[in-house]
């Protein structure tokens, strides 16, 4: 899912357009979700309460829009002015614990056919 800055700030600080592509993939397979808006609502409800995101709204088209908390932004600006560099936010504390993430930097030869050995 791609999360990006909102083009129009009245909708939020960040937006995610994943509900459109997710709905396209599940169309006809899910009886409980009938539109991209329904996918957006499911995503919005799955975001845990935290000290970074102030509010999450879903547009009729399915875009998930997020506003950041003012105190979070103020703290980040303070860090920037103190350390003269961007310090990543404490996501572990904000979202309630350690999360394991697997990042795979694969570089198969694109001139050859992919096979199970590339996994």
């Amino acid at each position: 899912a791609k999360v990006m800055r909102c083009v129009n700030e009245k909708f939020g600080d960040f937006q995610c357009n994943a509900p459109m592509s997710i709905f396209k993939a599940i169309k006809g397979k899910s009886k409980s979700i009938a539109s991209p808006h329904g996918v957006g609502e499911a995503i919005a409800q799955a975001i845990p309460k935290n000290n970074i995101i102030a509010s999450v709204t879903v547009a009729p088209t399915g875009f998930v829009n997020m506003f950041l908390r003012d105190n979070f932004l103020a703290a980040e600006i303070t860090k920037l002015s103190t350390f003269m560099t961007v310090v990543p936010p404490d996501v572990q504390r904000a979202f309630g614990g350690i999360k394991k993430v697997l990042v795979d930097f694969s570089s198969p030869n694109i001139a050859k056919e992919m096979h199970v050995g590339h996994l």
Side-chain angles (χ1 to χ4, degrees):
K2 187 172 184 181
V3 176
M4 61 187 124
R5 295 279 313 181
C6 284
V7 176
N8 188 334
E9 64 185 36
K10 76 177 184 179
F11 297 121
D13 295 312
F14 290 93
Q15 68 183 24
C16 174
N17 63 356
M20 282 69 96
S21 59
I22 293 171
F23 180 71
K24 188 176 177 181
I26 66 167
K27 190 174 184 179
K29 298 175 186 173
S30 173
K31 294 180 181 174
S32 62
I33 298 178
S35 68
H37 185 267
V39 175
E41 286 291 335
I43 291 171
Q45 291 174 6
I47 297 173
K49 294 200 181 298
N50 59 78
N51 63 357
I52 296 175
I53 300 172
S55 66
V56 179
T57 59
V58 181
T61 55
F63 280 94
V64 179
N65 300 310
M66 295 158 275
F67 282 98
L68 300 180
R69 293 185 184 278
D70 290 340
N71 59 350
F72 167 75
L73 291 172
E76 293 305 303
I77 291 169
T78 301
K79 283 186 213 174
L80 179 61
S81 65
T82 303
F83 300 111
M84 296 301 176
T85 186
V86 177
V87 178
D90 188 354
V91 175
Q92 178 181 335
R93 187 171 33 115
F95 288 96
I98 295 173
K99 307 287 182 195
K100 288 188 178 185
V101 177
L102 173 67
V103 179
D104 181 19
F105 293 101
S106 165
S107 58
N109 184 344
I110 61 171
K112 294 184 178 180
E113 188 174 328
M114 293 285 290
H115 58 80
V116 74
H118 288 101
L119 299 177

